[in-house]
Amino acid sequence: MVILGRQGSGKGTQSLRIAEHYGCVHLSTGDVLRAAVAEGTELGRQAESIMNSGGLVGDDVMIPLVQERIGKDDIMAKGVLLDGFPRTADQANGLESMLESLGQELTVAINLDVAVEEVTQRMMARGREDDTEEAIARRLGLYEAETAPLLDWFAERGLLATVDGLGEESDVFGRLQAVIDQRLA
Ligand code: ADP
């Protein structure tokens, strides 16, 4: 499964609940990058300033990173929820060829839909270190430019399901569950 949604849509929180409920691996590329920054690895050094400025880490870094992880035994056995990947057309094409070579198929790509005005309010309120007003605007701009077009890409493949991300966390999770159960049936 893939989950897409603007920064601040609640994607991270809902992803944890989905992974727990369905027993799949939660692969958040943002978490992988933050861990690399914390550990001071080469990847972390490359990613840190890009992340802080609200930019996107290069496809040449991100695609091999996911490719390396996605074929591992736990994911092959339990399935995976991709959170934060793909974010660009090249990453989507990369994902398609990775899955093809593994003999796997996507179940669903969920668009957790929350309007720009609402997510901006939410992010200003959460006060994460990389949530400066400038970085938020840049990340949301990149989302519209690079990631929103992927919604069409998934829709063309019959994989897109849009879920309203407004409301109580458990109500949103209920909507997600309904969509996923339908696709798994
Ligand atoms: P957010 O949804 O708030 O951007 P994430 O945890 O998904 O938070 O990602 C944090 C940062 O990590 C992004 O702003 C970006 O710089 C980088 N990042 C994460 N995933 C990707 C990706 N697939 N491609 C490029 N950069 C990424």
Side-chain angles (χ1 to χ4, degrees), residues 7 29-30 33-34 51 55 57 62 84 87 91 128 139:
Q7 295 79 2
T29 45
L33 294 174
R34 278 185 288 275
M51 291 171 77
V57 177
M62 296 310 298
R87 249 185 171 84
Q91 290 180 16
R128 210 169 69 185
R139 293 213 299 274

Side-chain angles (χ1 to χ4, degrees), residues 5-9 11-12 28-34 47-59 61-63 65-66 83-88 91 123 126 128 130-131 135-136 138-140 142-143 147:
R6 292 191 177 89
Q7 295 79 2
S9 62
K11 195 163 49 78
S28 157
T29 45
D31 286 352
V32 171
L33 294 174
R34 278 185 288 275
E48 188 169 18
S49 58
I50 300 172
M51 291 171 77
N52 286 339
S53 69
L56 287 177
V57 177
D59 292 335
V61 173
M62 296 310 298
I63 295 170
L65 188 147
V66 171
D83 166 9
F85 186 94
R87 249 185 171 84
T88 65
Q91 290 180 16
M123 278 191 282
R126 76 185 177 182
R128 210 169 69 185
D130 58 349
D131 282 345
I136 290 172
R138 177 135 187 249
R139 293 213 299 274
L140 288 173
L142 275 173
Y143 183 86
T147 309

Side-chain angles (χ1 to χ4, degrees), residues 149-160:
L150 297 184
L151 300 177
D152 290 337
W153 192 94
F154 285 112
E156 279 160 21
R157 286 157 181 75
L159 288 166
L160 187 70

